Amino acid sequence: MNTKRLLLNLTLMLLTLTGVKAQTPIYLDDTKPIEERVKDALSRMTTEEKVAMCHAQSKFSSAGVPRLGIPEIKMSDGPHGVRAEVNWNDWGYAGWTNDSCTAFPALTCLAATWNPEMSMLYGKAIGEEARYREKNILLGPGLNIYRTPLNGRNFEYMGEDPYLASVMVVPYVKGLQSNGVAACVKHYALNNQEVCRGWIDVNVSDRALREIYLPAFKAAAVEGGAWSFMGSYNKFRGEHACNNKILLRDILKDEWQWDGVVVTDWGGCHDTYKSAMNGLDIEMGTYTNGLTSETKFTYDDYYLGNMYLQQLKEGKIPMSVLDEQASRILRLIFRTAMNRQKPFGRFTCQEHYDVCRQIAGEGIVLLKNDNNTLPIDASKYNKILVVGENGIKNLTAGGGSSELKVKREVSPLQGLKALYGSKIDYAQGYKSGRFIYGREDVVPQDVQERLHDEAMQKAKDADLIIFVGGLNKNFHQDCEDSDRTTYGLPFGQDKLISDIVAMKKQVVLVLISGNAVEMPWVKQVPAILQAWYLGSESGNAIADVLSGKVNPSGKLPFTFPVKLEDNAAHHFGKISYPGDSIRQEYLEDILVGYRWHDTKKIVPQFAFGHGLSYTTFKYGKPTLSAKTMTANSFITVCIPVTNTGNCDGKEVVQLYIGDDQCSVVRPQKELKHFEKVALKQGETKTVTFTITPEDLQFYDNGWKTEQGRFTIYVGSSSRDIRGKETFVLN
Ligand code: BGC
């Protein structure tokens, strides 16, 4: 033993004998409050280490502090499953063999359940998958409001109503984060279309911003306690969202007092000074063969890399700005990567498939069911023909960053075959092109005609035809970075559907899409199901509903207009959608979705909140606890609802309020409360809602209410109103 070692050992012995122990640094001690740990870690870091945390170190991770044993942050898309591993420096897939995940139903389907319990199950299960894959941030949920049916990413969002989206997002975030994985709520804000998404300057009033576009984000931040947000690509009032003072600093961080981390969308940062000063924390995807296809830059060349360090050292940006960013990032790391209480997670297990099937079954919407065509009574049919490419197509691939590599995806054809066996035959009927980035691969006309004729030929022999069509995840359909170019169905499906119904056979239509579509044949088709992108259990869930094993209870989270011009954004022409390629004006203001249809008396094809059941529900008269309300009081509304049909079912009781006397324009009515109730055959339950003055507010330089009469509308959809009552606000 050399002298140095001897001395060291003697010192240690002495310390032990005198009771002095080596202290665990506070930041490593998880019995200490997080804020103390953050402070301690921050005090040990160099400026360079803090800056390194503020930008990417690979396509999907940002740096920790290796010297202090503080790990990096690993991220993954989101929002319907955990995306396959992507290469360190480019968008190629890494080719792992253990990263095939569970595909959960798309968020439109989750919103269509109108059941926050489903959101909790969803968040918890997807969080377990993210945790198992050792991710610290899952890039989801998506929360942008459904403004136009052409938006290619609507399927990743939760519909057109801020209240519905708010109620549904909170449990998703909580369930996900219970795994020690941060939600990254995206795309904040006003990313309501994909056309020109990188630069379009959205001009929207404060009122529409507050009443329509921000409430769900606020709910995710304040009630859900989301640990991170993703800034969007577009501009708002002349400034990119990721560098935007109003959105990030003023509203999200100051007004909502939110303590999380703002991550850019990939390539969404545009300026060093503004992004640092205005509230951005982590910059992702700027260079190195990313969205900007620039390989000669390194991660240090990011806006929040060396350029940032220089401006800090020159005193152009105060160190306190960097300290705030680093504190937020450390807080997130303690909540996630360094959280030792988090569970271990699990991946592609039966429990997750069960969650998928349950949510899909509750989210499928029965749009139409003339003469009780559904559920299918299999004993009546010998030959059931499934027609349509979506009957067999892999719909978890494609669509952009939300695409998934899955371990299992049950197609509708497989689901139906499992149920009806040899009675089932199949004809493709039409064909979509291969996915080619930036354009559509057009299928030759003669191929389409051959497929059409084959289907017609087989249909002659069938006594039930189930058409499974809709959109898919190809470019210019339900796909990131592109919007749809037409409202109608692609690949000649309209003609095929019309030709099939003209045969006067029993026909059921299953539409798979994340968007409303034009339905020129709607009157002729007796039964229509809106089936969304349902993920791993798609076919089983569709078969459950078609066969009656599951009684449908989904309700539309957005309006289906008859024609595109009936939609508010499209009503005002190009400057409203998609803009003049530089800027756009949201001229419909607060009248988005059903608010527009109701106020302007434009009858939709299918209304917001619509969805049928195999049973029927009778609503009793709503009773109010009082007929007047004051600023400090509330009114309870009780509505008895009875299942009057022949089977058990679930109904979503919806309560809307209209402000009948107001100095500003208000929508005819707005959703303020809802509840999904399970009712056995013959059973009655009373649903109770509490209305507070907050439910009556509008935004006009602050939240306000005006005295006067209000109408309460209770219904089974926004158009199927079963009871009305009025009260007065004094
Ligand atoms: C998308 C985000 C996504 C990110 C990372 C972007 O292009 O807009 O939603 O999370 O890429 O894949």
Side-chain angles (χ1 to χ4, degrees):
M1 194 179 282
N2 61 29
T3 345
K4 247 190 189 166
R5 199 28 97 74
L6 191 70
L7 271 174
L8 185 71
N9 281 348
L10 281 173
T11 322
L12 283 177
M13 260 168 62
L14 210 70
L15 288 175
T16 318
L17 287 173
T18 51
V20 178
K21 278 194 205 136
Q23 288 268 315
T24 309
I26 294 175
Y27 77 95
L28 288 177
D29 182 351
D30 63 4
T31 63
K32 292 276 189 308
I34 273 197
E35 295 313 313
E36 262 181 52
R37 297 174 66 195
V38 167
K39 254 196 210 145
D40 181 53
L42 193 71
S43 70
R44 295 167 193 264
M45 285 167 66
T46 65
T47 304
E48 283 75 9
E49 283 169 337
K50 292 175 195 170
V51 168
M53 285 182 132
C54 296
H55 60 81
Q57 60 163 8
S58 78
K59 279 260 77 68
F60 278 95
S61 72
S62 61
V65 194
R67 182 179 61 86
L68 297 177
I70 296 176
E72 60 202 355
I73 298 178
K74 296 179 199 149
M75 314 176 190
S76 170
D77 285 303
H80 309 128
V82 188
R83 191 178 183 179
E85 291 303 320
V86 170
N87 289 336
W88 192 255
N89 279 338
D90 65 55
W91 287 98
Y93 283 111
W96 288 17
T97 52
N98 57 355
D99 58 354
S100 301
C101 69
T102 303
F104 293 87
L107 292 192
T108 34
C109 172
L110 178 62
T113 67
W114 293 58
N115 185 350
E117 281 172 30
M118 294 300 113
S119 291
M120 181 51 90
L121 285 181
Y122 194 121
K124 195 167 167 294
I126 198 172
E128 286 174 348
E129 300 235 336
R131 167 66 189 100
Y132 186 86
R133 288 269 305 279
E134 298 190 344
K135 303 300 175 194
N136 312 116
I137 299 184
L138 184 74
L139 304 172
L143 267 192
N144 297 89
I145 287 290
Y146 187 112
R147 179 174 180 252
T148 153
L150 298 192
N151 179 11
R153 292 189 91 171
N154 278 336
F155 72 98
E156 293 187 60
Y157 304 143
M158 297 210 195
E160 72 186 25
D161 184 73
Y163 178 73
L164 174 65
S166 300
V167 172
M168 295 303 289
V169 75
V170 170
Y172 177 116
V173 169
K174 288 188 172 163
L176 166 61
Q177 294 189 163
S178 67
N179 291 285
V181 177
C184 188
V185 179
K186 66 191 192 184
H187 307 89
Y188 181 74
L190 299 162
N191 184 183
N192 307 100
Q193 66 188 44
E194 290 298 289
V195 176
C196 306
R197 67 174 177 172
W199 59 88
I200 196 81
D201 187 7
V202 178
N203 208 342
V204 64
S205 71
D206 274 343
R207 185 162 176 220
L209 185 70
R210 298 294 186 150
E211 291 187 23
I212 307 292
Y213 295 100
L214 292 190
F217 285 107
K218 184 176 180 186
V222 178
E223 283 168 64
W227 293 332
S228 71
F229 259 50
M230 184 189 289
S232 57
Y233 283 130
N234 51 286
K235 290 182 182 168
F236 166 58
R237 295 194 188 150
E239 194 55 73
H240 275 102
C242 290
N243 304 163
N244 195 294
K245 181 168 178 298
I246 307 174
L247 292 176
L248 302 183
R249 176 67 63 200
D250 299 347
I251 298 179
L252 177 62
K253 291 189 167 174
D254 288 350
E255 192 182 315
W256 297 347
Q257 292 283 298
W258 179 73
D259 69 1
V261 170
V262 178
V263 180
T264 60
D265 201 337
W266 270 230
C269 183
H270 298 271
D271 189 275
T272 300
Y273 181 82
K274 282 192 227 167
S275 55
M277 294 301 286
N278 293 345
L280 180 69
D281 300 304
I282 300 181
E283 176 191 5
M284 297 297 297
T286 305
Y287 301 127
T288 63
N289 203 18
L291 292 173
T292 45
S293 296
E294 191 53 88
T295 43
K296 62 177 187 284
F297 289 100
T298 71
Y299 293 103
D300 283 340
D301 293 317
Y302 271 41
Y303 292 102
L304 293 186
N306 285 339
M307 288 187 263
Y308 186 28
L309 191 61
Q310 195 182 333
Q311 295 198 23
L312 285 159
K313 288 195 168 159
E314 288 167 0
K316 289 186 179 146
I317 299 174
M319 285 292 175
S320 57
V321 170
L322 177 65
D323 282 347
E324 190 204 315
Q325 288 166 313
S327 302
R328 287 173 181 270
I329 297 166
L330 286 166
R331 190 178 294 125
L332 184 134
I333 293 175
F334 293 141
R335 285 167 165 170
T336 58
M338 288 178 75
N339 171 356
R340 286 194 296 173
Q341 309 306 320
K342 61 180 186 242
F344 191 72
R346 48 186 175 168
F347 201 55
T348 54
C349 50
Q350 188 55 44
E351 287 81 353
H352 290 178
Y353 294 132
D354 292 346
V355 165
C356 289
R357 191 162 176 171
Q358 195 183 348
I359 294 170
E362 278 217 19
I364 290 173
V365 181
L366 181 59
L367 293 177
K368 197 179 166 191
N369 194 19
D370 291 353
N371 312 317
N372 295 329
T373 306
L374 292 174
I376 293 167
D377 176 356
S379 65
K380 288 206 311 216
Y381 307 111
N382 292 318
K383 283 191 171 176
I384 304 175
L385 180 68
V386 177
V387 179
E389 191 186 61
N390 281 353
I392 54 166
K393 196 171 171 64
N394 173 353
L395 290 168
T396 52
S401 58
S402 67
E403 87 165 334
L404 297 171
K405 175 174 145 195
V406 292
K407 194 158 172 189
R408 148 176 178 178
E409 179 176 352
V410 180
S411 71
L413 183 63
Q414 286 168 330
L416 287 163
K417 270 198 174 154
L419 204 62
Y420 300 124
S422 58
K423 283 188 180 179
I424 296 278
D425 194 6
Y426 175 72
Q428 190 170 330
Y430 65 88
K431 190 172 167 13
S432 64
R434 273 174 311 134
F435 182 98
I436 295 182
Y437 192 79
R439 68 182 169 87
E440 269 186 83
D441 176 26
V442 180
V443 177
Q445 195 51 32
D446 59 319
V447 175
Q448 296 291 28
E449 278 166 18
R450 183 176 49 77
L451 291 170
H452 175 281
D453 296 348
E454 257 172 36
M456 293 302 291
Q457 202 55 39
K458 284 195 173 183
K460 280 186 193 157
D461 297 334
D463 38 25
L464 170 67
I465 298 152
I466 305 175
F467 185 93
V468 188
L471 304 174
N472 62 34
K473 302 282 190 68
N474 277 3
F475 213 70
H476 289 308
Q477 294 199 52
D478 284 326
C479 183
E480 178 179 341
D481 208 14
S482 67
D483 280 355
R484 297 163 68 198
T485 51
T486 53
Y487 185 39
L489 286 176
F491 320 122
Q493 290 179 80
D494 284 338
K495 178 168 185 325
L496 183 56
I497 295 169
S498 300
D499 290 350
I500 289 173
V501 284
M503 296 172 94
K504 303 270 179 252
K505 302 218 166 191
Q506 194 68 302
V507 178
V508 172
L509 199 84
V510 179
L511 272 181
I512 297 186
S513 74
N515 259 318
V517 299
E518 195 165 17
M519 301 182 172
W521 27 256
V522 69
K523 288 206 173 74
Q524 286 81 50
V525 182
I528 306 175
L529 220 60
Q530 176 60 37
W532 319 115
Y533 298 108
L534 299 175
S536 287
E537 287 293 316
S538 177
N540 286 335
I542 289 170
D544 286 346
V545 171
L546 287 176
S547 64
K549 186 173 166 205
V550 167
N551 187 354
S553 63
K555 301 275 185 178
L556 289 179
F558 52 80
T559 308
F560 276 54
V562 174
K563 52 187 193 305
L564 196 57
E565 304 77 64
D566 290 352
N567 164 279
H570 293 272
H571 174 87
F572 293 98
K574 196 173 165 224
I575 192 63
S576 166
Y577 175 88
D580 65 5
S581 87
I582 296 168
R583 109 203 129 85
Q584 73 181 140
E585 310 271 345
Y586 284 15
L587 292 173
E588 75 285 9
D589 202 48
I590 51 159
L591 298 181
V592 174
Y594 69 92
R595 288 166 166 78
W596 171 260
H597 283 263
D598 288 354
T599 311
K600 300 290 175 186
K601 305 199 176 0
I602 301 168
V603 179
Q605 188 67 67
F606 293 108
F608 172 80
H610 169 75
L612 305 172
S613 165
Y614 295 148
T615 184
T616 46
F617 301 99
K618 189 170 166 292
Y619 284 56
K621 200 176 148 39
T623 50
L624 271 53
S625 61
K627 292 289 268 180
T628 53
M629 193 195 268
T630 59
N632 304 316
S633 69
F634 57 86
I635 291 178
T636 54
V637 187
C638 296
I639 311 110
V641 183
T642 307
N643 180 343
T644 47
N646 299 323
C647 57
D648 300 349
K650 289 181 184 166
E651 169 69 329
V652 180
V653 181
Q654 303 163 37
L655 184 145
Y656 298 81
I657 299 184
D659 186 350
D660 300 335
Q661 297 160 328
C662 192
S663 59
V664 299
V665 175
R666 298 208 66 179
Q668 189 242 347
K669 62 179 180 306
E670 296 178 279
L671 183 72
K672 292 294 169 183
H673 296 277
F674 64 86
E675 192 177 322
K676 193 165 201 175
V677 272
L679 291 165
K680 299 220 168 303
Q681 199 187 336
E683 190 183 11
T684 300
K685 277 185 187 161
T686 298
V687 176
T688 305
F689 298 116
T690 303
I691 302 173
T692 66
E694 214 178 294
D695 293 329
L696 315 178
Q697 289 176 336
F698 57 93
Y699 192 88
D700 180 17
N701 273 325
W703 290 102
K704 294 183 180 153
T705 44
E706 277 178 15
Q707 301 194 3
R709 199 186 68 197
F710 290 81
T711 301
I712 294 174
Y713 304 82
V714 176
S716 176
S717 87
S718 63
R719 292 247 155 187
D720 182 3
I721 299 301
R722 308 288 182 89
K724 269 202 246 179
E725 278 297 333
T726 59
F727 68 93
V728 171
L729 178 73
N730 277 335

